[in-house]
Amino acid sequence: MLQPSPRYNRVMATSATTTCPIAHQCGGCARIETPYAQQLADKQRCIEELFAPLLSSALDAAHSASAAGHSVGTPDDAGSVGVPGSVQEHESADAGIPSGARADATTHAAARADATTHADACTCTPADAGNYADICTRTPADARGHADTRTSVVRPIMGMDDPREYRTKIVSPFAPSGKKLSLRSLARTGRTGRVALRKSDIACGLYAAGTHRIVECESCPVEMPVGRRVVAAVRDIMARYGMAPYDEDAQRGFVRHVVVRVGAQTGEVLATIVTNGHEFAGAKNFCRELLKRVPEVTTVVQNVNTRSTNAIFGTEEHVLYGPGFILDTLCGLSFRISSNSFFQVNARQTQVLYQVAVDFAFEPVDKALDAPHGAEATNAPRSPHASDTPQAVDPLHAPHSSSPADATATIVDAYCGTGTIGLVVAAAMPGAQIIGVDKTASAIADARQNAAHNGIDNAQFVAQDAGEFLSAYAAVGNTVDIVLMDPPRAGASEDFLRSLAHLAPRRIVYISCNPETQARDCKALAEAGYVLHAVQPVDMVPHTEHVECVALLSRVK
């Protein structure tokens, strides 16, 4: 198991408000003017309310299983591997539920439902606790004091110490500014001739909310600063060399977008120039000028998109300078990031998210339930070196406290993408066998390449629909111990959930960027015989409404 980071058992939230001069025009960070502590409080409340109906059901199911003499995730579960009972001995259904709390568990959701608003139900304010640790843990039933917060499945949200300059992917459209430029001399592909340009003729920045109107943006408080420096440099070079910006109405012009990817740990920078044409006249001079203005750039790529579409990227790419990709490290592993690679844009919080997923995969369920929570969690000593980036998240060298059964587990990483989560787990448990599945062939190719790049040989990757794979895998008598799943925002399909229930892994770790569909799917899994033990919210995108959650479920016999 990964070493717990200093952030794992606490929430540190600044009460400061981040400012942005174009916040009302851009709309990308809808809550940037709300103090960060309040943002976390609101997200915590939403997640607790969303999962409240499942909370009472989960505790009722666990209590019923215990009363009937059943256990959670035992070796003779349908579809589970016959493994030693060292983990399952700790996985009793009531494990981790405090004495005296079980009798009140069924009223927990009802108590929350009785609250007309969070303000009525809870008198917590940032002033109540210096780091706003116990946000949203009080209900009307707790009015005379705090109940034991471990009765809640939902753990306190994990926020950032400093929710600024976290985005490692920066995108800027380009368009004619003000009066339309005369582009009649250009072919539709923008391959012929150049136009006389001034920098003021070129608009770049961010789209205004709900429109394709560009709002000028010299700097963004949530982006890594080098990104906007690249965008500004590209505009200067366009003006110098007469490279016309793309006019989406006339479908003419050359430069459509610039996409910058930054290695948060390595500092490497990939600049992708999306063009409305194949021929990039003067490409060498362009790269030379760009590197002169922004020396941090380590590679430049041309992406060709000649379609009339809102999609940023086309399918054709040419490397203009450098290797065509950057490297960055995550949880002790090195990953290749190219123009189209899916890679979390908040690297600091991604390490926190993956640590939770690995811990959920291998911790005994009673330990997951007993994890410090609420005020108890927040009062844990803070490391003098604590920061948003965990200091000890290195699966290749971290000590493990999992059982021998987990050390040789068979684990499916469904919707694996480029394999980041599966590879972190594979490195953490070199004796386990990881099978990553995703229907996107290019993502699977990247996953295999990432595995080879890190010298990981206990992970294999399959290009196939995840539900179809699970059905076929179970049909030939194969079994799985743990399933990791990270579906798209729409959640898992009904076919996938049916296949998952049929395969019957003893444990499921569900990572989601959309808690609403996650709660829906957890309800379906509960009806198929699973108990929801824990939900850990992680604030991956501060200043927005978005929140990511990791859920732990295990099968009741």
Side-chain angles (χ1 to χ4, degrees):
M1 183 175 63
L2 299 179
Q3 282 278 36
S5 74
R7 296 194 42 74
Y8 188 75
N9 292 326
R10 62 171 172 75
V11 176
M12 287 298 294
T14 176
S15 60
T17 300
T18 304
T19 58
C20 176
I22 62 170
H24 293 283
Q25 301 176 66
C26 166
C29 299
R31 305 209 62 199
I32 197 164
E33 295 181 347
T34 302
Y36 188 49
Q38 186 60 48
Q39 294 181 37
L40 293 180
D42 293 341
K43 291 181 179 183
Q44 179 78 20
R45 183 190 73 243
C46 289
I47 298 302
E48 289 190 345
E49 291 175 351
L50 187 61
F51 282 90
L54 287 173
L55 172 63
S56 57
S57 299
L59 292 175
D60 287 346
H63 184 69
S64 299
S66 178
H70 295 159
S71 61
V72 178
T74 53
D76 56 350
D77 280 346
S80 65
V81 177
V83 294
S86 55
V87 173
Q88 290 83 2
E89 289 170 1
H90 298 286
E91 294 189 345
S92 64
D94 280 334
I97 302 175
S99 60
R102 298 187 184 98
D104 297 330
T106 56
T107 63
H108 180 85
R112 290 191 180 279
D114 290 339
T116 54
T117 64
H118 175 67
D120 294 335
C122 178
T123 58
C124 295
T125 66
D128 290 334
N131 56 11
Y132 212 60
D134 54 351
I135 47 178
C136 294
T137 60
R138 300 182 189 179
T139 67
D142 303 328
R144 288 182 299 276
H146 286 270
D148 191 324
T149 54
R150 288 176 295 175
T151 61
S152 174
V153 165
V154 181
R155 295 179 175 183
I157 188 170
M158 289 173 146
M160 300 185 71
D161 286 340
D162 186 356
R164 296 174 297 177
E165 297 181 1
Y166 64 83
R167 285 190 62 90
T168 58
K169 182 178 180 180
I170 297 91
V171 180
S172 176
F174 284 79
S177 176
K179 185 178 179 180
K180 297 290 185 182
L181 296 173
S182 175
L183 303 178
R184 286 178 295 179
S185 61
L186 298 178
R188 180 182 181 278
T189 59
R191 291 182 297 177
T192 60
R194 289 181 174 175
V195 293
L197 289 173
R198 297 169 299 177
K199 190 168 69 172
S200 59
D201 293 326
I202 304 167
C204 62
L206 300 165
Y207 283 129
T211 75
H212 272 206
R213 178 176 60 84
I214 295 177
V215 178
E216 294 281 339
C217 177
E218 295 183 359
S219 65
C220 173
V222 301
E223 295 175 346
M224 297 191 75
V226 68
R228 288 294 149 188
R229 288 175 50 214
V230 171
V231 172
V234 169
R235 180 165 69 169
D236 289 346
I237 298 168
M238 288 172 62
R240 177 172 179 176
Y241 289 100
M243 300 166 61
Y246 181 68
D247 184 333
E248 63 180 3
D249 295 328
Q251 297 182 10
R252 294 179 178 176
F254 187 63
V255 179
R256 298 177 67 135
H257 286 87
V258 168
V259 180
V260 182
R261 307 294 294 265
V262 184
Q265 299 296 320
T266 63
E268 296 183 9
V269 177
L270 162 63
T272 301
I273 317 301
V274 183
T275 63
N276 179 44
H278 301 269
E279 182 181 340
F280 198 139
K284 289 184 177 179
N285 287 336
F286 177 90
C287 292
R288 187 180 301 112
E289 289 289 338
L290 181 58
L291 267 64
K292 185 187 300 182
R293 288 170 166 78
V294 190
E296 294 94 329
V297 172
T298 54
T299 187
V300 183
V301 171
Q302 176 195 10
N303 178 279
V304 179
N305 184 0
T306 59
R307 298 172 297 162
S308 177
T309 175
N310 289 332
I312 293 176
F313 289 119
T315 58
E316 178 184 334
E317 287 196 348
H318 306 284
V319 178
L320 304 181
Y321 170 81
F325 60 87
I326 61 173
L327 296 175
D328 202 16
T329 57
L330 185 66
C331 297
L333 301 180
S334 177
F335 292 94
R336 288 176 53 151
I337 305 171
S338 55
S339 301
N340 281 296
S341 294
F342 173 78
F343 202 77
Q344 292 275 11
V345 299
N346 188 337
R348 285 178 278 169
Q349 287 294 85
T350 299
Q351 298 204 80
V352 175
L353 182 79
Y354 287 4
Q355 165 124 19
V356 173
V358 173
D359 286 352
F360 276 10
F362 296 115
E363 281 182 352
V365 171
D366 60 342
K367 186 174 181 180
L369 288 171
D370 275 332
H373 187 59
E376 182 179 338
T378 307
N379 292 332
R382 174 179 170 83
S383 165
H385 303 294
S387 67
D388 281 326
T389 303
Q391 301 301 308
V393 184
D394 184 351
L396 296 179
H397 304 98
H400 308 302
S401 62
S402 63
S403 72
D406 286 328
T408 59
T410 299
I411 302 169
V412 170
D413 178 13
Y415 307 97
C416 70
T418 56
T420 49
I421 298 174
L423 291 173
V424 169
V425 172
M429 285 291 165
Q433 293 299 313
I434 315 300
I435 306 171
V437 186
D438 197 287
K439 66 181 181 181
T440 306
S442 60
I444 291 298
D446 285 344
R448 290 169 178 162
Q449 194 170 54
N450 283 327
H453 177 67
N454 287 282
I456 293 174
D457 58 8
N458 62 322
Q460 57 181 302
F461 295 94
V462 179
Q464 188 177 352
D465 175 81
E468 293 176 1
F469 173 85
L470 293 186
S471 294
Y473 196 74
V476 295
N478 290 318
T479 55
V480 168
D481 297 286
I482 301 167
V483 169
L484 307 169
M485 54 185 289
D486 187 6
R489 290 190 60 81
S493 67
E494 292 183 6
D495 288 342
F496 175 87
L497 293 174
R498 279 193 294 268
S499 299
L500 180 59
H502 179 64
L503 185 61
R506 60 182 172 84
R507 185 178 294 210
I508 298 170
V509 179
Y510 188 151
I511 304 162
S512 176
C513 60
N514 186 346
E516 291 186 359
T517 55
Q518 184 182 35
R520 178 202 68 195
D521 294 346
C522 286
K523 182 176 184 295
L525 290 169
E527 293 169 353
Y530 283 87
V531 172
L532 177 64
H533 291 286
V535 177
Q536 177 61 72
V538 179
D539 190 25
M540 297 293 294
V541 195
H543 313 306
T544 72
E545 301 292 345
H546 300 291
V547 62
E548 198 136 342
C549 289
V550 187
L552 169 63
L553 305 98
S554 64
R555 187 169 181 82
V556 179
K557 180 180 175 182

